Amino acid sequence: MFTPCPTERSRAIAERVEAFVREVVAPCEHDSRAGAHGPSADLVAELRAKAREAGVMTPHILPDGEHLTQLETAAVLKRSGLSPLGPVAVNTMAPDEGNMFLLGKVATPQQKRRFLDKVVRGDARSAFFMTEPANDGGAGSDPSMLQTTAVQDGDEWVINGRKTCITGADGAEVGIVMARTGGADKVQATLFLVHLPHPAIRIERVLDTIDSSMPGGHALVAIENLRVPAADVLGQVHEGFRYAQVRLSPARLSHCMRWLGSAARAHEIASGYATRRKAFGKLLVDHEGVGFMLADNLIDLQQAALMIDWCAGVLDTGSQAIAESSMVKVAVSDALFRVADRCVQVMGGSGVLGDTIVEQVFREVRAFRIYDGPTEVHKWSLAKKIKREALAGGARG
């Protein structure tokens, strides 16, 4: 189901992670503490204590702080996703995984000590405050619509605005806030680090969404006169959009890695059901309509795995892989949704029950087609690239 691990160290880590997720995490999938807004804080703490004991906490970052290559990371994160609780347990879940990557690349040594280290240890969660309410005319897929402002006042910045769909804000201890700093006539942004909870960052409500795997859920947040010292600016002033790209391409690829694991597990469950359940005198898998759906799953899963590895390899060259990650996000999210949908269909009534993770994987992967950029936005970006390159190269054909 998964492509071979690229190195011996990634193989060893991936095998430990897979064994832990299957043997320790999967039995907790029906724990009542895994609710509509994600697993509770005490369930997260319990799972992470077990992960530390098993030596699989934050497995993509080595004890000396070295980050696995993206291709190695893919081998590990695919296996962490074999349960919706797996990435939470071993600390590879969004938004923490992407935030750790960004802070590792951009933060100062002092900022890493104050904000990054506790997230890497799994002792704290983080949140990335970028998306804004559509009713406010705020930024979503188009970051140039950013409405939240940051105004310098001596050695501090004063931030005001509203954010929405902020994953993990409820219960997070580290925040990265994107705010407009270029004035009304300039589309510029800056990233700010914030200790949470903070009285100037108020959670208006935790939103009810189709997915339920991420601790803290997704929150609507008001930011009112938040004062951030200049020392807590992440990177350089006005470079927030550029730093967001440092985070977004690897982060959207990591989503693909994790959800590939979950879709692969759903396929395992559906295949097991189809090879046990009989109807009309034979096993379901022997009915062509069912067997062909499972065969299509196998094809989609293999193609998704190969696309993920291809993009990971491009990132490992030092490229930002903006176009490549867009292609993979579109192809993989759509393929995994097809896989999850077929799993539900193969299992019939059992597929829509909460007795297995199949219905949850269906919900999670449906949301994934929106998160980190809807399919249509990525296609539009790719179409612009096609046009730009065609015009630059002259007409051919």
Side-chain angles (χ1 to χ4, degrees):
M1 195 70 67
F2 298 128
T3 49
C5 297
T7 63
E8 177 57 30
R9 71 175 181 178
S10 65
R11 183 196 61 77
I13 296 170
E15 287 181 355
R16 289 201 305 273
V17 168
E18 178 168 355
F20 177 75
V21 172
R22 289 188 184 276
E23 296 167 13
V24 179
V25 178
C28 299
E29 288 167 347
H30 299 295
D31 193 301
S32 61
R33 292 172 293 174
H37 296 149
S40 66
D42 60 327
L43 179 56
V44 172
E46 182 179 308
L47 290 171
R48 290 187 173 181
K50 293 178 179 179
R52 290 188 190 94
E53 184 179 350
V56 292
M57 174 58 67
T58 323
H60 58 297
I61 299 179
L62 302 178
D64 63 0
E66 180 187 358
H67 198 293
L68 294 181
T69 68
Q70 286 295 311
L71 198 54
E72 290 174 315
T73 297
V76 175
L77 265 61
K78 289 173 190 175
R79 289 157 176 85
S80 76
L82 283 164
S83 167
L85 285 174
V88 176
V90 303
N91 200 24
T92 61
M93 179 57 100
D96 293 329
E97 188 273 332
N99 291 340
M100 286 187 281
F101 184 85
L102 174 62
L103 290 170
K105 293 287 186 182
V106 179
T108 66
Q110 183 188 47
Q111 289 173 339
K112 289 177 181 177
R113 287 192 297 272
R114 295 173 57 221
F115 295 98
L116 174 60
D117 289 353
K118 57 186 175 182
V119 181
V120 172
R121 291 194 306 267
D123 293 335
R125 293 193 291 102
S126 62
F128 192 81
F129 295 76
M130 182 174 72
T131 304
E132 298 173 334
N135 291 342
D136 294 353
S141 297
D142 181 0
S144 69
M145 296 170 64
L146 195 66
Q147 299 294 309
T148 301
T149 60
V151 178
Q152 193 162 16
D153 181 19
D155 290 334
E156 295 182 318
W157 290 82
V158 182
I159 304 174
N160 285 279
R162 293 177 82 221
K163 301 289 185 177
T164 193
C165 295
I166 306 306
T167 304
D170 187 16
E173 295 182 32
V174 173
I176 303 174
V177 179
M178 176 179 281
R180 192 173 188 131
T181 51
D185 57 338
K186 292 182 181 180
V187 184
Q188 293 177 317
T190 300
L191 298 179
F192 300 88
L193 290 166
V194 184
H195 290 291
L196 299 173
H198 194 291
I201 299 179
R202 176 171 52 86
I203 294 177
E204 296 184 6
R205 64 188 176 103
V206 178
L207 305 166
D208 293 323
T209 60
I210 193 173
D211 61 323
S212 59
S213 66
M214 300 179 188
H218 311 283
L220 177 65
V221 176
I223 303 175
E224 300 165 343
N225 295 319
L226 170 65
R227 288 187 168 268
V228 179
D232 290 344
V233 170
L234 181 59
Q236 300 297 313
V237 172
H238 305 321
E239 295 293 329
F241 291 140
R242 180 166 67 87
Y243 297 136
Q245 286 301 326
V246 170
R247 179 188 187 278
L248 288 176
S249 288
R252 70 171 62 109
L253 185 63
S254 297
H255 270 308
C256 295
M257 299 170 190
R258 289 184 294 265
W259 292 125
L260 175 67
S262 292
R265 172 98 178 288
H267 174 71
E268 290 177 8
I269 294 169
S271 297
Y273 183 86
T275 53
R276 291 190 306 269
R277 173 71 166 164
K278 284 186 176 181
F280 305 102
K282 56 184 177 181
L283 292 171
L284 289 182
V285 71
D286 292 329
H287 291 278
E288 200 170 79
V290 173
F292 280 16
M293 280 194 283
L294 295 173
D296 284 336
N297 275 2
L298 206 59
I299 294 166
D300 274 336
L301 288 168
Q302 184 65 24
Q303 288 177 334
L306 291 169
M307 285 205 75
I308 290 169
D309 288 357
W310 163 68
C311 186
V314 174
L315 282 167
D316 283 336
T317 68
S319 167
Q320 285 193 327
I322 294 172
E324 291 86 351
S325 66
S326 284
M327 286 188 271
V328 174
K329 171 60 167 60
V330 170
V332 171
S333 64
D334 287 355
L336 298 187
F337 180 69
R338 292 193 298 268
V339 170
D341 185 56
R342 293 188 199 109
C343 290
V344 171
Q345 196 71 15
V346 165
M347 295 178 67
S350 297
V352 298
L353 301 178
D355 292 350
T356 74
I357 63 163
V358 169
E359 65 83 24
Q360 182 185 358
V361 172
F362 176 85
R363 291 186 286 105
E364 301 287 347
V365 176
R366 182 60 187 88
F368 175 38
R369 295 175 67 203
I370 301 294
Y371 298 163
D372 272 14
T375 293
E376 294 72 23
V377 170
H378 287 292
K379 286 184 177 180
W380 177 63
S381 175
L382 291 167
K384 290 197 298 180
K385 172 180 168 64
I386 292 168
K387 177 182 177 181
R388 184 169 62 249
E389 292 178 353
L391 293 176
R396 292 194 179 118

